[in-house]
Structures are given as structure tokens and as C-alpha cells.
Amino acid sequence: MSRLPAIVSSEGYVPGVNEPEQMICQYLHMTGSMGCSWFGCDVSTFSLPLLMLQLSMIFIVSHTTFFLLKPLRQSILSCQLIGCIVFIWFVRLDNRLLNKLFPESGKLVLDTVASFGFMLHVFVVGVQIDTNILKSVHRHMVLIGCMSFFLPYAVCILCIVPLPNLIELDELSLHTLPFVAALTSMTTFPAVTSTLSDLNLLNSDLGRLSCSTALVTDSCSYVTTLALTTIGVALERSEWKALTNIFYIICFLFTICFIVRPFILWMAKRIPEGQQIKESQFVMVLVAVLLCGFLSECLGQNASFGGFTMGICVPDGPPFGSAMVNRVDWMATSILVPAKFAICAFKVNLRSLGGDNALASAITEVVITIAYLVKFMSNFLLAMYFNVSSQDAFHFAMIMCTKGIIDVAAFSLIRSNRVVTEQGYSLLILNMLLVTGSTRFLLWHFYDPSARYQSYKRTSILDSEPDDYLRMVVCIHNEDNVPSIINLLQASNPSRHQPIEVITMNLLQLEGRASAILVPSSEVKKIPSAQTRVFQVGNAFNYFRQRNRNSVVVEHFVSMAPYRTMHEDIFTISINKCANIIIVPFHKCWGIDGTIDATFPGIRSVNLKLMEKTPCSIGILVDRGQIGGPKSVLTRRTEVFHITQLFLGGEDDREALALSCRMAQHPYVSLLVVVLRPANADVDQTPDMLHEKKLDNEMIDRFRMECKGRDIFIQQEVVDDGVQTVHLLRAMEEGCDLFIVGRAHSLSGSKLTHGLSERPQCPELGRIGDLLASSEFQFSVLVVQTQPLERIDYDCEQIVFGK
């Protein structure tokens, strides 16, 4: 092997267009080490091993920072930037370590790889954007979005214009201030959706308003930036060639929108439902991303512009959008994007804020502060003007001031082009971290979306009139839920005297898109991957409506949201429709042999949050086939459907008995109510226990009167503890098709569950419900929880769907 040179690269300065520029010379063969470590050579002097070392160290530092700052609810991107700034600051303390880990030649390679990774990340961001959101943007959102950018920018410009006459400021710093004002005034759509997603606010009313408004603001900021970088340069240099780039950019966008996008949509429609995209289709799109990035550079734009534009062309959601996101995002966001933050961190110089630059730094900080304050106040006041509550308007204004990776990349780009000074760039980064970090922390601790459910009106079944509509929101996670839920509705005895209003919610997990969706099924075209399922579910419920003409009303809605916030959409529909009860399927599915066939943790997380914050009563249906199979109510004409309710006392049991009372009116339903009483029930009775007992007795008397002459049986049983309760339940198993029980029980009723598991596997079902849902029993179970007293909620007239 030939002797390796002692100097692997050298750098120096040469005359540039505006100022001296750095030039790096490196040996061509210094890419891979080629086994030279065996001869005592330092492997880190080669570009490839050095790149791998840099990426590894940046990954470790950024994720360690994320772990340490997790209690402060900071985003992974903010933590990556903070970690890189701190890491680079420590490395700069030792020049030898700095030159070894980040030599100028190594930074050049790292910057190239980081820019490539950022382009892929922006492509993924574009894929996740739903272009149909532009059609649903209301005029007031357009006004708020435009004013959110132009008003702070205009105020800052008015403050900057008289500065030369008031303060002696160098020309470079004065030239920086308009760009600093523009960058501070902008709000990027990805930054807002990332904040909302991390804080579980994506499909809240506040989240939908913020997403739509941010999209408008983002468009305004891009148009302004394009004008500053083309028209501004043309006016300054009297070279109008830059204006022709605008024409070519328009042609590029026209080609992407009207030629490339229709072709990709055509490919997406040819993918059979339930199947993934082909490898050739994935590669074709990825090559198109590279070509768009290249064309963007040719047009004077950053390569990320082409990647983002190409991402817009790819349909969001499964199968095309989700596949592209799953395959590209993990590498771009986790490995390569932190390298982009490291490059940005190198440009942050805190020492530049003092000394001779103290005055310029102070003026720049004042401009940034004014931009943030005016931006906040404009969003807050305009939101208040358009009837947004003061609390939501305050939080909305905070969200619109957040920034993300797109903003950081924009800061870095204008710094690389010497548009802003070193202190201006450093202040932009520091203020961004301060404002965004504090906003996320405050929103997490002080904003509760469930607060909008609190009001004065109770809509439980027990509080409704017998001849009123029974309004039921039924949740569908997959097609297997449909038969059992329809037969439960049929068992609820829809008739002209006791009509039922059914609101179906097709629930889909958010995949491959940034914004959540809640729309009527008539607008399901916005979710192409769900059209077949929504159509089939709609047909099944419409058939149920036709069988019960003049006694059933059915409405259909589709929700696509993350599992952790899916309950928000269910609550929104329940509030809007003044629902009496929500019916949700259990998260476990049973096979033909009675064993658990599948478990869905996401569905369970939805159920847990529903039980915790429900604005009305809720029932969890544990289906084992009896209620939805051949023994269902719909398929019987002579046989009787046997329902058993266990009544231990308490609010939930009374609500369950109110539902059973309606079911008992069905001609093919036989109802057995088993009332359990503890032995020595009259001993040590507290006033609260006596009051509960009185309410329980009144409910049982009401049940007897309303169901007089029906096929009902009331059985009184006295037990000592939970063991005797279990023996009684096993004795009732034979001949039972559906078992109804309340989730919680009164203080006296809780004695009857003493001895059961203190740590149930499914606490959302209560102790009795958890026992009945185990493999020891074979009947279906409906666990009912009434509307909590502390969450008496909402005035239906004050909530308008879609606003």
C-alpha cells in the first residue's frame, strides 16, 4: 500500500463575488479507509468513516436531549436542535477536537447529506398534507391567515424605516432587519401540525382552525419570500433576468399539478384495495423526487421546494401515501434530519451578540419581539372577532407563533447566502426555541379540550322521556363490528312510539397524512382508501333503517384520526347530536372456539378515554357471536332472545336498567333482571347509602310499571361476597344471549364484589364486567356507564358541526 499523505485536506480563502469565500482542497482517494487502520492510519480522516461517526454522534446527542427534555413536552425536532447547539458549543471549546470531528471538508460532506435528508423529510411532509383542506378553508380563516403574516411584517417594516434617522446602525445590520421580520412573521403548516399532533390536539376544534389558518399563512409567507428573492434582487441589481425565473417556476408547478399528479393518482387507483404499492412504483416516485429537487435548483430554488411539491402530488393516506411515509420517513427524520440541525447549530454564535454588535443585536431582538407580539395579538383579536372563545383564541394565537424544521432551514439558508448577519441568525434560532418550547409546555399543562364538554344539560337514557328519540352513536372500527351493533340496535325496540336515531362513526387510524378528518359519509371521496368500507357499512345500516321504517333515522360520519385523539371526534358528534349513549366495541375479538382471536390496543386506548371523559352514557359491547350471529334478534321469528341484567345498585346500574326497559318492549326479547342484595343490608347504613337505596328502589318500581305485561322476570338474590356472586353468575350462563351490567356500583353493591380481582385485566369494564368478559363465560356482554355528574355537559345549540 502506498504511503498516505500527512495532510488529507487544506482550506483557504479566495476572492468571491461579494466577499472572500472559503475553498477546500481534498485528495480524491480519501473516501474510504481501504483497511489502512491496520497500518496505524486514523480512520476518521477519511470522508466516509467520518460521516458515519458524525451521524452516529449527532443521533446519540439529539435523542439523549429528547429523553432529558421529555418532561417539558418538547418536540423531537426542537430537542435535536437544542442538543446539537449544546454539543457543538462543547466541541468548540477544544480546537483539536473540533478539527478532528468536524473539519471543514467533513462539514461539506455532512451538509450535502443533511440537505438530501431534509429534502426527503420535506417530501414526506408534502405527502401528509391533504390538498382538499383548501376547499374547506372558510373566508374568516383566509383573513386570519393573511393577517397573521402581513400585519406583523408591516408593523415591523414601519418601525424599521425611520431607524437610520434615529440610530447609527451599520448598513449590513439594517439590511438584515426586513428579512428577520419576514422570517419571524411566517408560520409553516408542518410546524403547526407537528405541535398539534404531539399534544394530541390534531382533531380538536382548535386543531382544525389552526391547521387551516396555518396553511394560508404558509402560502402567504412563500409568496412574499419568492418576491423578496426575485423582484427584490432584480430591483437592487437592475437585472431583470431573475424575474424570468418566476415564469419558469409557474411552468414547473403547472407541470407538477396537471401532468405528474394525475399520473400518480391514476397509479394509485390501479392498486387493489387492501394491497400495498409495488416496488417499481415506489422507486419511480423516489426518482421523481430527485428530479424535482434538481429542477428546483436549476430554477434558483432550494431542492426541498421540489421535494415538497412532489410530495403534494402523492395522494395522502393508504395505500400510496402511507407506504411512502413508512419507507422514507424513518431514515430521513431519525438519521439525516439531525445532521441538518447540526449544520444549523454551527452557524449559531452566541459571542456575536455582545461587544461591538451589542447595539445591532438589541435592535434585532426588538424587531423579533415586536413581530411575535403583533402576530400573537392579531391572531387573538381576529379569532375573538369571529366568535372563538377567549380561551381558545389565546391558545390559537400561541400555536400560530410556533415554528419548526422548515423555519430553521429557512434561517440557515438565508444565513448561508449572507442575507442576515450572524447575530441576526442566532437571535432567530434562540427566540424560536424559547417561544415554541414555552408554547408547547403551556398548552400541555393548561389546555384541556374536554373542558368544552362541561355545561348544565344531562342527556342520559334515564333522564330522557320514554317517547323521545333514543340517540345512539355507534362506533365502527372494522366490518366485523357491524352485525353485533345492528342487532343490539334492533333489540333496543325501535318503534313509532320509541324511535331511535342512529349516528354511525366509521373510525380509521390516521396514516400517511398530517391533518385529521371528520366528515359526513357523503364526503368520503376525501378518503379514497375508505370508500369501499364506508359504502358497505352504510348499506348495512340503511337496510336496518328500511326494515324499521318511520322508527329509525340513520346518519353516517367518517373520522380519520390518531387513536390517542380519536375520542375527540366521537365526543364532537355526540355533543352535536345530543346523544344519549355511545356504543363502542370491545378491543378483543373471539374466535369460533371461544378463544381470543385478536387484540387491538389502539381500540382499547380509545375506549379508556371515552370512559374517562364521556359527555353522555357509554356502553362497551363484548361480542361473542350470540348477538350478531345466527341467534340474533333480526334472524328470530319464533325463538326468544334472552337478555339478563345484573342489578347491584348505583348510577350505572340504573342507567343500564333504563336501557333494558326499552329492550323489554321488543316482542322477541325476554328479560331477566337479577337484583342482588347483600346480607345484613340494613347494618351500618350511611345517609348516602340510604339515598342510593331509595333511588334504586324507585328505578325498579318504575321498571315494573313501564314493562307491565311484557316478558320480564325480576329475581331477588341475597349474597355475602364476590365468591357467591361468581357462583350465581355461572348458574345464569345457560340460555343467556346478552348480559347487561353497570360498570360501577353503589357503596352497598360494592360489598357484593368483595373478593374479586383487585387488579382487573380490563378496568374499563368494572369488576363484574371484567369477570364476564373472561374466557370462563360464553355470552355477549354490554357494560354501561352513565354520564358522570361532574361532567354534565354542553348546550347542543351552541355547537355547530364543521365550524
Side-chain angles (χ1 to χ4, degrees):
M1 180 177 291
S2 61
R3 183 178 176 83
L4 295 170
I7 301 176
V8 297
S9 66
S10 61
E11 60 267 356
Y13 288 88
V14 296
V17 178
N18 298 315
E19 58 185 22
E21 296 181 354
Q22 192 175 26
M23 184 176 67
I24 300 172
C25 300
Q26 186 173 8
Y27 289 95
L28 295 176
H29 68 281
M30 300 296 288
T31 303
S33 62
M34 299 173 291
C36 73
S37 59
W38 297 103
F39 302 94
C41 179
D42 187 359
V43 178
S44 63
T45 57
F46 294 84
S47 57
L48 181 58
L50 179 61
L51 175 64
M52 292 187 288
L53 176 63
Q54 290 170 339
L55 292 176
S56 301
M57 294 186 65
I58 293 170
F59 176 85
I60 294 172
V61 168
S62 60
H63 282 74
T64 301
T65 308
F66 176 68
F67 175 77
L68 295 175
L69 297 181
K70 200 171 184 179
L72 298 179
R73 301 297 172 182
Q74 300 303 298
S75 68
I76 179 64
L77 298 179
S78 295
C79 292
Q80 288 173 348
L81 180 56
I82 294 172
C84 289
I85 291 176
V86 175
F87 175 63
I88 298 302
W89 182 76
F90 274 108
V91 170
R92 277 177 169 165
L93 296 178
D94 187 348
N95 288 330
R96 290 182 58 190
L97 182 62
L98 176 64
N99 294 328
K100 186 174 183 63
L101 292 179
F102 296 99
E104 294 299 330
S105 58
K107 285 199 294 186
L108 180 63
V109 177
L110 182 65
D111 192 9
T112 304
V113 173
S115 298
F116 176 74
F118 177 69
M119 183 188 70
L120 294 180
H121 173 77
V122 174
F123 164 71
V124 170
V125 170
V127 172
Q128 293 176 313
I129 292 179
D130 176 21
T131 54
N132 291 316
I133 196 175
L134 291 171
K135 301 177 183 178
S136 61
V137 173
H138 299 279
R139 284 181 293 181
H140 68 275
M141 296 178 182
V142 175
L143 177 61
I144 297 175
C146 292
M147 296 302 291
S148 178
F149 175 78
F150 288 115
L151 188 59
Y153 181 63
V155 171
C156 288
I157 294 298
L158 291 176
C159 295
I160 293 170
V161 169
L163 273 181
N165 301 324
L166 301 176
I167 299 175
E168 186 176 348
L169 201 64
D170 62 282
E171 184 178 352
L172 182 59
S173 298
L174 192 63
H175 181 266
T176 294
L177 294 179
F179 294 93
V180 169
L183 292 169
T184 308
S185 302
M186 71 180 189
T187 299
T188 57
F189 179 79
V192 171
T193 55
S194 175
T195 300
L196 295 171
S197 178
D198 292 343
L199 299 178
N200 299 332
L201 301 175
L202 195 58
N203 54 330
S204 64
D205 290 343
L206 177 64
R208 291 189 174 90
L209 173 63
S210 301
C211 286
S212 300
T213 308
L215 197 59
V216 176
T217 308
D218 203 353
S219 302
C220 294
S221 59
Y222 174 74
V223 172
T224 304
T225 303
L226 183 63
L228 288 175
T229 55
T230 53
I231 299 176
V233 172
L235 292 175
E236 182 179 358
R237 299 183 179 180
S238 300
E239 294 180 4
W240 300 100
K241 184 179 179 180
L243 293 179
T244 59
N245 282 347
I246 296 180
F247 172 75
Y248 291 129
I249 290 172
I250 294 174
C251 294
F252 172 73
L253 294 174
F254 182 87
T255 304
I256 291 290
C257 295
F258 296 101
I259 298 179
V260 178
R261 177 172 169 80
F263 176 72
I264 295 179
L265 292 176
W266 175 78
M267 283 198 307
K269 290 180 181 179
R270 290 174 58 88
I271 301 174
E273 187 172 356
Q275 295 187 15
Q276 298 296 323
I277 65 173
K278 298 178 181 178
E279 195 70 23
S280 59
Q281 295 172 328
F282 171 76
V283 173
M284 186 184 302
V285 173
L286 207 57
V287 171
V289 174
L290 301 179
L291 290 175
C292 287
F294 170 75
L295 292 176
S296 296
E297 292 286 346
C298 295
L299 294 174
Q301 301 296 305
N302 192 269
S304 58
F305 171 73
F308 179 78
T309 307
M310 187 62 196
I312 294 291
C313 294
V314 177
D316 59 293
F320 218 100
S322 59
M324 299 301 300
V325 171
N326 293 335
R327 295 190 186 189
V328 177
D329 189 46
W330 70 271
M331 172 62 76
T333 303
S334 300
I335 305 297
L336 302 181
V337 167
K340 184 69 174 178
F341 283 127
I343 296 298
C344 297
F346 268 108
K347 301 172 185 177
V348 176
N349 186 4
L350 301 181
R351 295 178 180 176
S352 65
L353 303 180
D356 297 336
N357 299 322
L359 178 61
S361 300
I363 297 298
T364 305
E365 179 61 29
V366 169
V367 171
I368 294 175
T369 303
I370 291 174
Y372 273 119
L373 289 176
V374 175
K375 186 178 183 67
F376 178 87
M377 291 305 300
S378 65
N379 285 297
F380 175 73
L381 295 176
L382 284 172
M384 289 273 293
Y385 178 78
F386 289 109
N387 299 325
V388 178
S389 66
S390 58
Q391 183 180 8
D392 283 354
F394 184 83
H395 294 135
F396 165 71
M398 292 175 63
I399 291 173
M400 291 299 292
C401 291
T402 58
K403 298 189 181 299
I405 185 173
I406 307 295
D407 305 86
V408 175
F411 299 164
S412 178
L413 180 63
I414 64 169
R415 174 57 193 150
S416 299
N417 294 333
R418 309 288 182 180
V419 177
V420 297
T421 59
E422 194 173 36
Q423 65 267 23
Y425 171 80
S426 300
L427 288 172
L428 283 170
I429 293 292
L430 295 178
N431 281 273
M432 183 209 78
L433 291 174
L434 177 63
V435 172
T436 303
S438 59
T439 296
R440 294 174 64 92
F441 181 79
L442 294 174
L443 283 174
W444 176 264
H445 286 280
F446 297 107
Y447 180 70
D448 182 14
S450 63
R452 65 193 178 100
Y453 312 139
Q454 298 176 358
S455 183
Y456 60 88
K457 187 174 182 179
R458 284 184 63 84
T459 60
S460 63
I461 301 174
L462 188 60
D463 294 309
S464 61
E465 296 297 329
D467 56 347
D468 281 350
Y469 270 96
L470 177 61
R471 295 178 175 88
M472 307 177 73
V473 174
V474 297
C475 301
I476 310 297
H477 288 280
N478 54 63
E479 292 87 343
D480 296 335
N481 304 146
V482 175
S484 57
I485 289 180
I486 286 182
N487 282 287
L488 179 65
L489 297 174
Q490 184 65 48
S492 301
N493 189 38
S495 63
R496 292 186 178 181
H497 301 291
Q498 292 184 327
I500 293 179
E501 181 178 353
V502 181
I503 302 98
T504 69
M505 291 201 66
N506 273 280
L507 304 176
L508 306 167
Q509 184 181 9
L510 186 68
E511 291 182 325
R513 56 182 297 133
S515 55
I517 285 184
L518 175 60
V519 293
S521 61
S522 58
E523 300 180 24
V524 75
K525 291 182 179 180
K526 297 180 179 180
I527 316 176
S529 60
Q531 291 184 15
T532 302
R533 171 183 145 177
V534 172
F535 179 76
Q536 293 174 348
V537 171
N539 283 346
F541 279 94
N542 289 334
Y543 175 71
F544 165 70
R545 177 179 56 81
Q546 292 173 4
R547 286 177 58 93
N548 299 273
R549 191 171 300 173
N550 300 325
S551 59
V552 173
V553 176
V554 179
E555 290 185 81
H556 306 285
F557 292 92
V558 183
S559 167
M560 177 177 277
Y563 277 130
R564 62 180 182 272
T565 59
M566 194 174 284
H567 63 283
E568 294 287 341
D569 285 346
I570 301 173
F571 289 165
T572 298
I573 295 299
S574 302
I575 292 171
N576 180 252
K577 299 301 178 182
C578 295
N580 304 114
I581 189 170
I582 302 170
I583 303 296
V584 295
F586 192 47
H587 68 277
K588 295 180 181 179
C589 294
W590 277 263
I592 300 176
D593 57 353
T595 59
I596 296 177
D597 186 41
T599 302
F600 302 96
I603 296 178
R604 186 186 185 190
S605 68
V606 175
N607 293 349
L608 286 170
K609 291 180 179 178
L610 287 172
M611 302 295 274
E612 178 186 357
K613 300 181 178 182
T614 176
C616 61
S617 298
I618 182 172
I620 297 182
L621 180 61
V622 182
D623 176 32
R624 287 196 174 95
Q626 290 91 336
I627 190 171
K631 298 182 180 180
S632 66
V633 184
L634 283 176
T635 57
R636 297 189 179 194
R637 291 296 179 268
T638 57
E639 297 184 28
V640 177
F641 187 77
H642 296 277
I643 300 177
T644 301
Q645 180 181 344
L646 188 66
F647 189 92
L648 282 73
E651 269 195 314
D652 293 349
D653 280 336
R654 292 194 292 270
E655 182 73 1
L657 190 58
L659 179 60
S660 298
C661 185
R662 297 184 70 107
M663 293 182 174
Q665 312 294 328
H666 198 287
Y668 295 106
V669 169
S670 175
L671 177 63
L672 169 64
V673 179
V674 180
V675 182
L676 292 190
R677 301 295 187 191
N680 303 321
D682 298 327
V683 179
D684 298 330
Q685 293 279 331
T686 64
D688 290 339
M689 295 172 66
L690 291 173
H691 179 66
E692 284 290 323
K693 184 177 180 180
K694 179 184 177 182
L695 294 176
D696 292 341
N697 292 332
E698 290 177 354
M699 184 62 208
I700 293 175
D701 293 339
R702 172 183 167 182
F703 172 74
R704 282 196 176 101
M705 292 187 60
E706 292 186 5
C707 299
K708 188 176 181 179
R710 299 294 180 180
D711 188 8
I712 64 168
F713 304 91
I714 300 179
Q715 177 179 333
Q716 301 275 351
E717 295 288 346
V718 178
V719 295
D720 292 324
D721 53 22
V723 177
Q724 293 187 11
T725 302
V726 172
H727 288 307
L728 180 63
L729 293 175
R730 287 174 178 167
M732 293 187 296
E733 181 177 4
E734 186 176 355
C736 178
D737 297 318
L738 176 64
F739 202 102
I740 302 177
V741 66
R743 183 195 182 202
H745 312 287
S746 63
L747 293 175
S748 59
S750 62
K751 299 178 181 178
L752 306 177
T753 61
H754 181 71
L756 299 181
S757 175
E758 297 293 335
R759 293 185 178 181
Q761 294 183 357
C762 302
E764 66 269 26
L765 301 179
R767 290 189 179 182
I768 298 293
D770 180 67
L771 176 65
L772 297 175
S774 66
S775 57
E776 299 179 16
F777 298 91
Q778 299 301 319
F779 45 68
S780 297
V781 182
L782 179 65
V783 179
V784 178
Q785 174 185 287
T786 190
Q787 177 183 351
L789 285 174
E790 64 271 15
R791 197 167 290 278
I792 301 174
D793 76 279
Y794 62 84
D795 180 3
C796 302
E797 300 299 327
Q798 294 178 356
I799 299 171
V800 182
F801 176 75
K803 297 287 182 74

